[in-house]
Amino acid sequence: MLTYAVLGSGSSGNSYVFSDGESSVLIDQGYSVVELCRRLDRFGVDYSTLKAVCVTHLHPDHAKGVGTLARKKGLSVYLTKQACEEESVQFSKLGIPQQLVYPITPFELIEVGPFSLFCFPTSHDSCGSVGWFVRYQEEQFMVLTDTGVTTEEHRSLAKSATVLFLEANYDPGMLATGPYPVYLKRRIDGRYGHLSNHQALSFLEESGFAGNHVYFIHMSDVNNDPALLESAAHKKVNTPFTVCRKNQWYGPEREAK
Ligand SMILES: [Zn+2]
Ligand SMILES: [Zn+2]
């Protein structure tokens, strides 16, 4: 049976897991191995089943635990060739054993146990950044995070997804009046920054997403308020959705309670 979960999302750590009980794959790994295990345990995913980690980009909240995990567990690490080459300082800092690194290009198909995956480009201030699309039987998961803008390609992928993990990083009003310095505000709401609540909700509408659940992810704890997003989403979104709060974990079984 398929288990999937948001193990955590936001500036203090990001990771998503997909598991059939025998093979598990992570998208991003921004945690220590101890913390990762604690989070996997919550969903009954056995650490020993981890086969691969697929990386969106090399910012520490997404990648800082990748090297340690790869060295401990000997699992494969998939990230874009462009990220390896153009973010070489960040990349070498992770210390991933060379034989475990699989540099890939967008839309190249990867098979991990029963999962097939590919990545697609995003627009972020980390070279070679991507989102991921995960297929398991009839289920299709899309992880779209850390992107300043959405594209036609993103919309058409979302249209075919059954579950969407979608960034809703900031509320524009809170960002504008918040404590961040101007250069940081510009970075966040710029082309290579993050998606706002408004952008996320428009994206959902425009893509014609017809899946069965949306997880709003990567919320800023300074420039966003889960209650604001929740009330805006209630007005606009017909699909069941979950607003993922900072550092919390979410999966289908959590909602069932
Ligand atoms: Zn980032
Ligand atoms: Zn991030």
Side-chain angles (χ1 to χ4, degrees):
M1 202 191 83
L2 175 71
T3 303
Y4 65 88
V6 179
L7 297 176
S9 97
S11 53
S12 51
N14 296 274
S15 190
Y16 305 85
V17 69
F18 301 87
S19 178
D20 74 341
E22 281 177 22
S23 303
S24 306
V25 51
L26 296 175
I27 306 290
D28 288 341
Q29 205 313 70
Y31 295 103
S32 68
V33 173
V34 172
E35 185 56 29
L36 175 73
C37 286
R38 191 170 81 88
R39 288 168 187 256
L40 288 172
D41 276 354
R42 168 64 186 76
F43 295 96
V45 176
D46 193 333
Y47 173 75
S48 70
T49 62
L50 289 180
K51 299 281 188 286
V53 51
C54 300
V55 181
T56 58
H57 63 296
L58 292 172
H59 283 160
D61 52 326
H62 298 260
K64 68 170 179 271
V66 170
T68 335
L69 180 67
R71 290 194 297 277
K72 264 199 146 146
K73 187 91 187 60
L75 48 62
S76 317
V77 178
Y78 295 93
L79 78 172
T80 61
K81 190 168 178 280
Q82 195 190 350
C84 299
E85 289 170 0
E86 294 175 29
E87 296 288 349
S88 56
V89 176
Q90 289 286 344
F91 174 61
S92 40
K93 256 196 221 162
L94 298 178
I96 309 166
Q98 212 184 343
Q99 72 277 14
L100 299 175
V101 178
Y102 293 82
I104 44 134
T105 49
F107 299 102
E108 185 178 333
L109 211 58
I110 296 162
E111 307 281 346
V112 180
F115 300 100
S116 59
L117 306 95
F118 63 84
C119 64
F120 53 87
T122 53
S123 174
H124 197 50
D125 54 357
S126 178
C127 296
S129 69
V130 290
W132 281 91
F133 203 86
V134 183
R135 290 201 184 112
Y136 174 85
Q137 297 174 0
E138 303 302 304
E139 299 263 23
Q140 313 212 69
F141 300 89
M142 181 182 185
V143 180
L144 178 57
T145 189
D146 296 66
T147 190
V149 291
T150 57
T151 63
E152 203 39 57
E153 201 163 77
H154 295 157
R155 282 184 279 279
S156 96
L157 287 170
K159 197 174 180 183
S160 62
T162 47
V163 177
L164 178 59
F165 302 91
L166 176 62
E167 171 169 59
N169 181 259
Y170 66 95
D171 169 72
M174 285 181 71
L175 178 68
T177 56
Y180 279 16
V182 174
Y183 80 90
L184 209 49
K185 292 182 180 184
R186 295 234 167 100
R187 185 210 148 222
I188 291 168
D189 70 8
R191 245 196 106 67
Y192 301 100
H194 293 280
L195 292 182
S196 69
N197 294 351
H198 177 77
Q199 281 173 295
L201 293 174
S202 303
F203 175 77
L204 268 180
E205 205 165 47
E206 289 160 11
S207 67
F209 172 73
N212 49 46
H213 207 100
V214 182
Y215 292 85
F216 291 107
I217 54 167
H218 211 289
M219 287 194 92
S220 164
D221 44 331
V222 177
N223 304 309
N224 211 342
D225 175 356
L228 261 181
L229 174 58
E230 221 158 291
S231 74
H234 271 302
K235 287 183 201 133
K236 282 192 123 177
V237 183
N238 298 320
T239 322
F241 67 85
T242 304
V243 172
C244 297
R245 290 166 192 247
K246 186 195 172 189
N247 237 353
Q248 292 296 308
W249 36 47
Y250 298 89
E253 55 266 69
R254 192 175 169 99
E255 270 110 42
K257 285 187 178 170

